[in-house]
Amino acid sequence: MKKFNKLNLHIKILILLIKEYYKIILIPFGIISFFATLGMTTPTILGIKNLYLWIVAFSLPLVILIILIIIKQPFSEIKKIKEGEILNIDEIKNLHLTPKIIIIGLSNVGKTTLINSFFHERFAKSRTQNIEGRIKIHENQALCLIDMSGEQIYHAYQVLKLANFIVLMVDHSKSHVSKKIVWSRQNDVKNFIKKIKDNVDGNYDNKKSIPSLFIVNKKDLWNKSAETSKETLQQNYKNLHEDWKKYFGDKSEYIEYTNKNDYDDKNSSAAILDKICKGVK
């Protein structure tokens, strides 16, 4: 794996700052260079009219850029780009270059456990109660993985506008330790998705079309049910995914997943992290 290069981030931030304030930087240069070209105050020196004005014209943009860097502190984001760094909602909002990956779903669906698996941590130490971001560096790319309480739907509303990538997790059990499939859980999933869509309708001029993963968690429970039940579950989730794509766009992938360590296939947590990195490039 390549070492994460923060120099590239510095360059990107500098370019973004110049793009945002290019008028403030370039207008004084244009005005002064215009008068310098007229040759109004000093004689031509080495073929250059108004040498002193030209010196000021070329120096002023640099001075303005330095002042903007001091006032705006654009490089402060880089201090937060550390593996495992935990951020609150205000710090998350101040990330401009780091892609924000929101993981949404019902309570006990496995959001925190999935995030922890990206850091090779087996289980969540405690349930997430608030919005929390965590920096992950993977394939020479920094990501902010955003977790939240599944019981507080307004948490999802808060971060939807920030999202560069959405991971929607769904399941068929109301507990992370239960081995029983609860069919009513799918109605809960439908209602959750509906609330997300209603929020987007009420708060966005246009529907968001950003990359997403539709992850059906706890597939290990299917082996404990009849084959017909498994097929019904799969079809129900695929129908939900089709509905999700109609609303949020086609840049979505359907994945059947489990966090049990006795399952090792192409849809492991490492593969999911690869898909996220590919989706935000």
Side-chain angles (χ1 to χ4, degrees):
M1 183 183 297
K2 295 180 181 178
K3 186 177 179 181
F4 182 63
N5 189 349
K6 288 191 175 182
L7 176 61
N8 290 338
L9 271 183
H10 281 85
I11 295 172
K12 288 179 181 178
I13 290 174
L14 193 60
I15 292 172
L16 284 177
L17 186 70
I18 293 172
K19 283 184 177 179
E20 186 174 356
Y21 296 100
Y22 74 94
K23 290 182 180 179
I24 296 176
I25 295 171
L26 294 181
I27 287 177
F29 170 79
I31 293 172
I32 296 174
S33 60
F34 172 76
F35 285 109
T37 304
L38 294 178
M40 295 174 62
T41 58
T42 60
T44 298
I45 301 176
L46 299 178
I48 301 176
K49 297 179 180 179
N50 290 318
L51 178 63
Y52 303 131
L53 279 179
W54 278 116
I55 292 173
V56 173
F58 281 102
S59 301
L60 193 56
L62 180 60
V63 172
I64 293 173
L65 184 59
I66 292 172
I67 292 173
L68 284 171
I69 290 173
I70 294 172
I71 295 175
K72 299 296 181 180
Q73 298 185 347
F75 301 116
S76 60
E77 176 175 343
I78 295 177
K79 298 177 182 178
K80 299 293 182 182
I81 309 303
K82 299 176 184 176
E83 177 78 4
E85 183 82 4
I86 295 175
L87 311 178
N88 60 36
I89 183 62
D90 292 328
E91 291 171 321
I92 293 170
K93 288 179 179 178
N94 286 328
L95 296 179
H96 302 294
L97 287 179
T98 309
K100 291 172 276 293
I101 319 302
I102 68 168
I103 295 91
I104 58 176
L106 294 168
S107 181
N108 286 321
V109 75
K111 301 185 298 297
T112 305
T113 302
L114 176 66
I115 292 175
N116 286 348
S117 70
F118 296 152
F119 295 89
H120 308 291
E121 298 169 0
R122 186 64 187 133
F123 297 109
K125 297 178 182 178
S126 60
R127 294 178 61 185
T128 304
Q129 299 298 323
N130 299 303
I131 298 171
E132 182 178 282
R134 195 173 181 189
I135 297 296
K136 176 64 184 177
I137 297 174
H138 183 72
E139 296 297 333
N140 199 31
Q141 185 168 359
L143 307 169
C144 180
L145 304 166
I146 303 173
D147 191 11
M148 67 207 75
S149 169
E151 297 171 349
Q152 309 293 341
I153 187 68
Y154 67 88
H155 283 171
Y157 298 162
Q158 281 183 269
V159 295
L160 268 172
K161 290 184 178 180
L162 304 175
N164 301 111
F165 195 103
I166 298 175
V167 176
L168 171 66
M169 293 194 75
V170 302
D171 67 351
H172 32 268
S173 175
K174 296 186 177 181
S175 170
H176 66 286
V177 295
S178 174
K179 297 181 179 180
K180 181 180 178 182
I181 291 175
V182 181
W183 288 87
S184 62
R185 182 75 161 178
Q186 291 198 341
N187 289 328
D188 297 335
V189 170
K190 289 179 182 178
N191 290 332
F192 181 85
I193 292 176
K194 183 179 184 302
K195 288 178 181 178
I196 294 297
K197 294 194 299 186
D198 288 346
N199 176 262
V200 172
D201 266 342
N203 293 282
Y204 298 89
D205 294 331
N206 298 304
K207 296 173 185 177
K208 297 202 78 172
S209 179
I210 62 175
S212 68
L213 294 180
F214 187 99
I215 299 180
V216 181
N217 196 16
K218 306 176 186 176
K219 76 171 185 178
D220 54 289
L221 300 186
W222 294 352
N223 292 336
K224 306 178 187 304
S225 62
E227 189 64 27
T228 54
S229 297
K230 175 182 176 180
E231 291 174 356
T232 301
L233 276 169
Q234 286 177 309
Q235 190 57 53
N236 287 347
Y237 286 126
K238 287 177 180 178
N239 290 341
L240 281 172
H241 180 233
E242 287 302 315
D243 184 49
W244 173 269
K245 287 201 301 181
K246 288 177 185 176
Y247 202 85
F248 288 93
D250 290 328
K251 294 185 291 183
S252 178
E253 183 175 349
Y254 173 91
I255 294 175
E256 295 172 358
Y257 171 78
T258 177
N259 61 22
K260 301 299 182 183
N261 56 11
D262 53 344
Y263 285 79
D264 184 18
D265 56 21
K266 62 180 181 180
N267 290 329
S268 64
S269 61
I272 288 173
L273 191 56
D274 288 338
K275 292 176 187 293
I276 292 172
C277 281
K278 184 177 179 180
V280 297
K281 281 185 178 179

